[in-house]
Amino acid sequence: MKHIISLFLFSSITILFGQGIPNGDILNETPLYPIPAEMTFEEYQDMNRRLTIGLALTSIPIPGIVHRYAGEKKKARRLFMIGTGGLGLMIAGAFMMDEGEFPKSDYDVTILNEGKENEKQFEKIPIYQVGADTSYKLVPMHKEMDGSGGGLIVLGAIVLVGDIFYDWFHGWKLIVNKRDAVRYKYGQQLQFSIQPHINPLAQKAGLNFNLYF
């Protein structure tokens, strides 16, 4: 009975994965083709890099991630350090910011816990009036932030965002250029010709494929 259940589960899993994956191959590996003997492993990797994967990596906002996929590990580390520095500037700026005073208001202000650390202020905004009775809406007010850290936050944000965008656009360009360079180099070594031929009398058509070494 156990063997029957195990066989049923294995068959179900095989059918399930086989329906959603081309050729029923779970790994969906690329077929193996002949490779020129002088092609290096790095060139082989460059030839098989996919721009679609580079575009998908942009969903992970880590500086240098696209360059790392493109095979530029040193540049990827440098971009990651620059991005980390930008984030550090933002954090340092946030620590330097101090909580200021409540802003001025053109409406009446209701104050709770006045003079205490947990003091709260609300704007009394009139909504409607019936006779001598006026209804108000209390809108909470927030203290304004001050201090010298605002400039560091802006600078850090510019560095971080600029670093990420450079990684994306330059990384995509690298992937395309590397693929083209390898394919152009070894594509020149392929020398072949294709000649179509038609025989009207025999009602046949075909192609002559000639490969030269």
Side-chain angles (χ1 to χ4, degrees), residues 17 21-22 24-30:
F17 281 99
I21 299 175
D25 185 2
I26 295 178
L27 296 178
N28 196 20
E29 295 176 336
T30 303

Side-chain angles (χ1 to χ4, degrees), residues 195-208:
Q195 297 178 345
H197 67 87
I198 301 175
N199 190 341
L201 298 177
Q203 297 183 351
K204 293 182 179 180
L207 293 174
N208 289 330

Side-chain angles (χ1 to χ4, degrees), residues 51-98:
L51 182 59
T52 52
I53 297 179
L55 293 171
L57 289 174
T58 58
S59 61
I60 308 175
I62 299 178
I65 190 171
V66 179
H67 275 75
R68 179 169 293 276
Y69 174 71
E72 300 291 329
K73 295 183 179 180
K74 290 184 179 180
K75 190 67 172 288
R77 285 195 294 267
R78 192 178 302 119
L79 291 173
F80 181 78
M81 295 303 297
I82 293 174
T84 303
L87 181 61
L89 289 175
M90 295 176 64
I91 295 175
F95 276 108
M96 294 175 63
M97 296 293 291
D98 297 323

